[in-house]
Amino acid sequence: MTVVVGTAGHIDHGKTTLLRALTGIDADRLPEERRRGMTIDVGYAHLRLDDGTVIDFVDVPGHDRLVGNMLVGAGEIDAAMLVVAADDGPRAQTLEHLALLDALGVRPSLGVVTKVDAVPPERVAAVIQEVRAMLGPAVPVVGASGVTGAGLDDLRTVLTAIAARHGRQARPPSLAIDRIFTVKGRGAVVTGSLRGGPLDRGDSLRLVPGKSEVRVREVQVHGAAVDRVDDGGRVALNLAAIAAEDLHRGQVLTADLEVIATDRLLVAFATASVPADRSRWRLHLGTAARDAAVGRSGRDALPGHGIVRTAEQVAARSGDRFLLRRSGGDPVGGVILDVAPPRGISRRRQTVARVAPLATGLPEARLELHGAVARGGSVALAGDVAALAEVAARESVAAGAAPLTAVRAEVARAVRRAVTLRRDEAAAAAVGVVDRLLASGALVRDGDTLRPPGTIPAGPDPDALAAMDRLVAALDLPAPPSLADAARAAGCAPAGVRTLERAGRIVVLEPDLAYAMSTYQRLAATALAMARSEPLTPAAFRDATGTSRKYVMAILEDLDRRALLRRTPDGHVPGPMAPPS
């Protein structure tokens, strides 16, 4: 198992030195960082514990001008480690980092007082007490030195206990990109903290935001190539068929269909202070940082909630934590409730009673908010919308029978008056509503018409009856015209053709070949009589009926299917279902 732990704390309080002593890895990866002695961008190191658990450390910059970079690392961590130097004690940046972590919903899991070799023991004890008072009695605080190694064993023990409390996320793999570079001869490489899994070499992932699907050519964990990553942590992915310049920090590589590109988020604020309407902020989400504005007026004026609109699309998933930050103000954190909030007429449904249950993550809560949710070609309706649609269906046949298409159209219109759906989505919803009413017996179907239960089907239209009679007469020939031509000449609609076939007045042998039942029966009787005397050949049957091979073969094949005839090498003979002579 791998757990991602982020550092936090004031500049020059020894975070990077502590990690170097603990892991043997220098998290300052940039030459400028090593030259200046301060972390400028996010750095990484890892530690394998005695029980096999791996701790991936995210070393964030402590300088106040680099808080944006600090949040790149903090957005993708499982736990936080607050570092305070024994000589300085808690400072302004210490408190700011704590506030940022709190807004992100990440409480420090331990505190480390560093540089214990540089001050008297009583000073160490005093700072430990200060840090314990900041973090609370349930959070362990240890003293350590990155120079002498003092306290590192105690630190490993606490880290082991922290790792045991974190389990694997049961979701498809997602990786928020925090670094991009190119390896000569291999192409684009990205790094990030993997969430969910497993992820295999050769897998394809969606790039969000973006329209690309990319293939993972190679997976590396701590510099070694692996075929599979099961339990998350820090990984590097070599990607095929995409250039490094087409990638940027903040994008997400994912197999999770719940992750989408969006510029509009319905959120619940988790901090005491709530942004004002139309206020402008910097949104930090995962490894992304985007300009954003908060909407809290009209339908969006819900206590503790709001709409965050971003200047550029971000990759988001319901349940993700976010942070809003701007100069001169306290950070505001919260959780995303809906990555595609209601639009249009569905916004009328946006009430506290419907928005608050989104925090449960249950699909039913989102359906209740939107009123209708389309997915995979089907459309689910909330209970009140479904009831309204059923009323529309019943009312459309209240005066008697109505065409099926007209009933569905009326239901679709009623649904679109209540919720926001495209026309095709509303049509799909209407099909489902009518089918459910038919299955329950609330409506009765007669061919292409619907009627209320308990009513007598309306008699056929006299003109339609006359057209059907004309069609039967036109097909009462050994060599009838094509069914389409005959129906057109008779003025018989497709529904009339189906009615004649169901009533047994015509026999349709092929899509465009049909006989009047009386003619078919005469031809079948002729074929049976001839087959009883000797095997019947198509040529003999053609001569006997005065038709052509086209008609003869259609009749003989139909009689074979019915087992009235049986085909042999010499010709057709009576079949097992043939009546006795």
Side-chain angles (χ1 to χ4, degrees):
M1 183 178 70
T2 303
V3 178
V4 181
V5 175
T7 66
H10 194 79
I11 184 175
D12 200 30
H13 274 207
K15 297 186 295 294
T16 304
T17 301
L18 177 67
L19 290 186
R20 187 187 305 120
L22 188 64
T23 67
I25 298 169
D26 190 346
D28 279 346
R29 58 185 177 83
L30 300 177
E32 185 181 357
E33 292 174 336
R34 294 183 178 130
R35 184 174 64 254
R36 294 169 59 181
M38 60 177 282
T39 300
I40 296 172
D41 205 349
V42 182
Y44 306 98
H46 61 273
L47 171 68
R48 182 174 293 277
L49 301 174
D50 292 340
D51 64 357
T53 299
V54 175
I55 302 287
D56 277 337
F57 290 100
V58 178
D59 185 28
V60 302
H63 199 286
D64 59 354
R65 294 196 307 272
L66 302 172
V67 169
N69 283 1
M70 174 265 183
L71 288 170
V72 169
E76 290 294 305
I77 62 176
D78 298 313
M81 180 171 72
L82 180 68
V83 178
V84 178
D87 53 354
D88 267 0
R91 298 289 298 276
Q93 211 67 45
T94 308
L95 299 176
E96 182 175 5
H97 279 201
L98 277 178
L100 293 170
L101 289 171
D102 185 60
L104 281 170
V106 180
R107 292 297 301 162
S109 299
L110 79 155
V112 182
V113 174
T114 58
K115 303 184 181 182
V116 297
D117 58 308
V119 297
E122 56 270 22
R123 172 60 180 171
V124 173
V127 174
I128 287 177
Q129 283 301 108
E130 281 189 83
V131 174
R132 187 168 286 129
M134 293 169 59
L135 301 183
V139 179
V141 180
V142 299
S145 169
V147 176
T148 67
L152 294 186
D153 288 340
D154 292 339
L155 180 53
R156 291 188 187 94
T157 299
V158 174
L159 288 169
T160 301
I162 291 171
R165 296 198 297 267
H166 290 272
R168 177 184 167 192
Q169 293 178 302
R171 55 180 279 195
S174 286
L175 181 137
I177 298 172
D178 53 37
R179 290 177 61 204
I180 306 106
F181 52 93
T182 301
V183 174
K184 188 174 181 180
R186 300 295 292 165
V189 175
V190 299
T191 68
S193 297
L194 183 66
R195 295 288 177 242
L199 177 64
D200 294 294
R201 180 170 59 87
D203 281 352
S204 291
L205 299 172
R206 292 185 301 122
L207 180 64
V208 184
K211 299 180 180 179
S212 303
E213 185 169 281
V214 299
R215 183 174 60 84
V216 179
R217 178 185 286 146
E218 184 179 346
V219 181
Q220 282 197 7
V221 176
H222 306 146
V226 297
D227 289 329
R228 163 177 282 214
V229 183
D230 284 310
D231 53 5
R234 294 292 306 174
V235 300
L237 305 179
N238 179 210
L239 305 177
I242 191 167
E245 53 265 29
D246 295 326
L247 300 163
H248 58 79
R249 176 180 280 181
Q251 287 178 308
V252 173
L253 289 166
T254 183
D256 189 346
L257 297 179
E258 300 296 324
V259 178
I260 70 167
T262 180
D263 57 6
R264 191 164 167 268
L265 305 165
L266 172 59
V267 305
F269 298 109
T271 47
S273 59
V274 176
D277 181 44
R278 299 186 181 182
S279 56
R280 297 192 174 277
W281 300 78
R282 188 71 169 167
L283 170 74
H284 296 270
L285 175 63
T287 60
R290 300 288 183 269
D291 290 335
V294 175
R296 299 196 64 248
S297 62
R299 298 284 177 182
D300 304 328
L302 303 177
H305 299 83
I307 297 290
V308 175
R309 294 175 174 86
T310 56
E312 302 171 65
Q313 286 193 326
V314 292
R317 182 182 193 269
S318 295
D320 283 351
R321 304 285 309 195
F322 70 91
L323 183 140
L324 295 172
R325 180 176 171 268
R326 61 181 178 179
S327 60
D330 293 330
V332 176
V335 63
I336 297 173
L337 299 181
D338 194 341
V339 293
R343 293 181 180 273
I345 199 168
S346 285
R347 291 190 69 226
R348 296 178 182 177
R349 303 176 63 85
Q350 200 164 280
T351 63
V352 172
R354 288 193 174 113
V355 168
L358 292 174
T360 65
L362 295 176
E364 294 83 359
R366 187 167 190 270
L367 175 60
E368 185 62 28
L369 173 63
H370 286 254
V373 174
R375 175 170 292 184
S378 64
V379 179
L381 299 179
D384 62 311
V385 180
L388 180 150
E390 290 177 4
V391 168
R394 289 191 178 97
E395 288 181 348
S396 66
V397 298
L404 172 63
T405 54
V407 175
R408 286 175 174 168
E410 184 56 39
V411 172
R413 282 192 290 271
V415 169
R416 293 194 77 208
R417 286 194 293 268
V419 296
T420 304
L421 283 177
R422 299 195 312 261
R423 291 185 184 277
D424 60 318
E425 293 170 341
V431 170
V433 169
V434 171
D435 286 351
R436 286 193 296 274
L437 290 173
L438 289 170
S440 68
L443 293 179
V444 177
R445 180 173 180 175
D446 297 313
D448 291 332
T449 62
L450 302 180
R451 59 181 172 85
T455 59
I456 299 173
D461 179 72
D463 292 339
L465 285 176
M468 288 190 284
D469 289 340
R470 290 193 294 270
L471 178 59
V472 173
L475 299 177
D476 193 11
L477 297 169
S482 75
L483 178 57
D485 289 344
R488 188 163 45 250
C492 185
V497 176
R498 292 192 292 272
T499 298
L500 289 173
E501 187 176 14
R502 286 196 300 268
R505 294 186 64 192
I506 65 173
V507 178
V508 180
L509 300 186
E510 295 176 355
D512 207 24
L513 175 60
Y515 285 92
M517 179 59 77
S518 57
T519 302
Y520 176 82
Q521 289 174 338
R522 289 195 301 271
L523 293 171
T526 298
L528 278 169
M530 295 177 68
R532 287 193 177 101
S533 60
E534 60 179 330
L536 176 62
T537 64
F541 191 43
R542 180 196 61 204
D543 294 342
T545 58
T547 59
S548 67
R549 183 177 177 84
K550 164 188 167 183
Y551 300 99
V552 164
M553 294 306 299
I555 293 172
L556 292 179
E557 288 173 2
D558 184 66
L559 293 173
D560 287 342
R561 285 193 297 269
R562 298 168 184 262
L564 295 171
L565 291 180
R566 179 172 59 84
R567 186 176 181 180
T568 71
D570 296 325
H572 296 267
V573 299
M577 300 302 293
S581 56

